[in-house]
Amino acid sequence: MSILSVQNVNKSFGGLKALNDVNLEIEAGTVHAIIGPNGAGKSTLLNCFVGRLDPDTGTVTFDGKSLLGIDPHEINQTGVSRVFQTPEIFGDLTLLENVMIPAFAKRDGSFTMNAWGSVSGQQDIYTKAIDMLADVSLDSKANDMAGQLSRGDKRRLELAMCLVQEPKLLLLDEPTAGMARADTNNTIDLMKRIAERGVTMVVIEHDMHVVFSLADRISVLAQGTVIAEGLPQDIKGDPRVQEAYLGGAHL
Ligand code: ADP
Ligand code: MG
């Protein structure tokens, strides 16, 4: 069953058609990779899923409800979490605080910490945040300032900030960008564990090692158009995909 349905989405920036009649069905419980050359429209598409951009036309439906026109700040209430291409963390807060904030936001619908909130409720969130940091192997740094982390650790922290909201659908824009191979492999393992819990994932990724380690299905975007969609083994051999990737250099 499809949990995210994207139909006839178009998006232009001035004269540039960034998305050209995009249709996409994401099956619940799968990892769906979106690949394509730089400038293909991948990030634009993801931004249309989370209220950062409004498509010119088309529909985006999650779990039977439209995601269009939704306030980005309310997106976490819907069961959708996202990791953007550039980590969005609070550099001058500790790792623990960074993970507790989205946990509060999910529970209370805002970032404001209620000073009169029940101690047991807050203890709950503290415990959850620590567990989540352990999950991404950052618990030993819980009280460090997030701004001091390496790029790989920042991405893992961002993942923890998403996971603490217990999303049904996790959207990741190039989660391993800029990571060393060891960090990339740790992130692949982490994403596999997340997938095993039944979280549906849409992963934009240009590292084919990551894509073929994780994806159940792959959609290929080129110049705003979905040029191929299918199982990893089919996509690997698809001549249109090879061509979009400059003679297969990246596959
Ligand atoms: P990808 O993530 O696949 O590399 P993007 O979605 O970032 O591609 O960009 C698709 C195209 O849209 C590119 O040509 C890019 O320059 C353009 N674009 C993206 N965002 C904007 C914007 N806010 N304003 C104008 N052009 C944009
Ligand atoms: Mg992008």
Side-chain angles (χ1 to χ4, degrees), residues 13 18 32 55 65 100 103 118 173 178 185 190 208 221 225 234:
F13 297 109
H32 195 121
K65 293 179 289 283
M100 285 178 78
S118 77
D173 196 347
N185 287 335
L190 172 61
M208 289 303 141
L221 206 59
T225 303
D234 299 335

Side-chain angles (χ1 to χ4, degrees), residues 13 16 18 37-44 85:
F13 297 109
L16 177 87
N38 258 340
K42 305 181 297 295
S43 295
T44 301
Q85 208 164 343

Side-chain angles (χ1 to χ4, degrees), residues 215-237:
D216 297 306
R217 288 192 84 78
I218 299 175
S219 295
V220 187
L221 206 59
Q223 296 179 339
T225 303
V226 178
I227 58 163
E229 203 271 326
L231 299 171
Q233 62 265 34
D234 299 335
I235 293 299
K236 219 172 193 164

